[in-house]
Amino acid sequence: MCMRPPWTRPALRRIGAPEQIGVKSSVNSVRATGGRRSGRTSWLSPRNHRAKAHTYGDTVTDRDELVRTAPRRALVLVDVQNEYTHLPLRIRYPSLSDCLKRIERALDAAENAGLPVVCVQHAGPPGGAIFTPGGKGFELCPCVERRRTSQWKCVVKRRGSIYAGTDLAAWLHEQDVDTVTLTGFMANNCVLASAAWGETIGLKTEVLSDAVGAINLRNCAGEADARTVHATLMALLHSNWAAVAATDDWCRALGRGGPLPRSNLVASAMAPF
């Protein structure tokens, strides 16, 4: 019988007791437990405390990593503004009403868990056709506006990414946040730009697929309806820049204090098509 060398075999190492691997109480865990500090693993050494999966070189090719530290989340509402309720930027898929329902569902869960909430609004140039500050299109959708509180971090941006030209990254660091959950508009612009930017500043990103909307696109380079745009971008994001999941799945992960499953480029490329 030909025995596989030990370094090629998938191995599952047992995680030690909290005092053996380093435990630190997170800000989110304190909020979620009403002031009682709960333990989270502040690090998991790949040598001693990570459940290994099949690898290609140094890249994990199984769908999910098996062990992770507990996420310290913030929920971000990206540009949930009236400009997306009518043409030319009306959200097409999922429908605007469905997106807003899922955003409110995520808000309910975040508030119950004591997560920081960030509300971002896009501002266009003064006198411009869309997102004019002070105009109706710039305002938040009513279902979000009526829920806004003084505890929310409110941000106005002028570029696609929520981090470009804002103090949001610094604020998230001050709040001890390491995982940003994105909802809002549009999947094909600001959500995509923010997820990609998050990687460059060391933030993990989650995207709630049924709480981000897309529009139809057509230009000289090609065309795609909103459903195709949305499906393609969710697969793209989940392949590298974000963990993508439905809102209900995210709420369950939040309730148990765990991460969402993540994939990577190699696993996504090797999956049967």
Side-chain angles (χ1 to χ4, degrees):
M1 179 181 296
C2 180
M3 298 296 292
R4 295 174 60 188
W7 56 84
T8 66
R9 301 174 196 160
L12 181 63
R13 292 185 173 93
R14 182 179 179 183
I15 298 177
E19 63 271 17
Q20 294 175 309
I21 62 176
V23 173
K24 179 181 177 183
S25 297
S26 71
V27 172
N28 285 355
S29 66
V30 174
R31 294 192 184 100
T33 56
R36 301 186 306 277
R37 286 195 172 270
S38 62
R40 66 168 176 82
T41 55
S42 59
W43 52 267
L44 290 175
S45 164
R47 179 178 295 274
N48 297 315
H49 306 296
R50 179 178 172 184
K52 289 188 175 179
H54 295 284
T55 61
Y56 181 85
D58 293 328
T59 304
V60 178
T61 58
D62 280 1
R63 178 181 175 188
D64 310 327
E65 292 184 21
L66 303 179
V67 177
R68 294 177 178 274
T69 56
R72 303 185 299 280
R73 291 181 167 100
L75 177 67
V76 181
L77 314 183
V78 182
D79 303 350
V80 188
Q81 294 167 260
N82 287 329
E83 205 67 70
Y84 293 112
T85 66
H86 55 77
L87 294 175
L89 298 179
R90 184 171 64 199
I91 295 300
R92 301 284 189 169
Y93 186 83
S95 70
L96 178 65
S97 61
D98 285 346
C99 284
L100 292 176
K101 288 176 183 175
R102 306 321 292 165
I103 290 170
E104 288 207 79
R105 171 80 173 99
L107 264 175
D108 289 340
E111 290 172 351
N112 289 338
L115 297 191
V117 175
V118 180
C119 182
V120 180
Q121 288 173 270
H122 187 81
I130 57 175
F131 296 107
T132 304
K136 183 70 174 176
F138 176 79
E139 296 175 0
L140 295 172
C141 293
C143 65
V144 171
E145 179 60 47
R146 66 171 174 258
R147 296 187 61 154
R148 178 159 37 174
T149 75
S150 60
Q151 301 302 312
W152 288 14
K153 167 69 172 175
C154 295
V155 175
V156 175
K157 66 179 178 63
R158 296 185 179 276
R159 292 183 170 85
S161 171
I162 59 179
Y163 306 111
T166 73
D167 67 346
L168 182 55
W171 183 85
L172 292 169
H173 178 73
E174 292 171 359
Q175 303 301 308
D176 196 30
V177 168
D178 65 6
T179 302
V180 171
T181 304
L182 300 179
T183 65
F185 311 128
M186 295 180 290
N188 50 280
N189 195 36
C190 298
V191 171
L192 176 62
S194 300
W197 192 299
E199 182 190 42
T200 70
I201 56 177
L203 287 172
K204 298 183 182 72
T205 299
E206 299 172 330
V207 174
L208 305 191
S209 58
D210 51 359
V212 296
I215 61 173
N216 298 330
L217 294 174
R218 176 183 293 175
N219 52 45
C220 63
E223 63 182 48
D225 62 73
R227 183 186 290 267
T228 301
V229 169
H230 187 275
T232 303
L233 287 176
M234 294 304 104
L236 183 151
L237 287 167
H238 195 64
S239 74
N240 185 31
W241 286 321
V244 177
T247 301
D248 285 344
D249 292 332
W250 179 79
C251 291
R252 284 188 283 270
L254 181 62
R256 64 177 179 265
L260 289 174
R262 302 181 76 90
S263 189
N264 58 64
L265 283 171
V266 174
S268 298
M270 293 176 66
F273 196 80

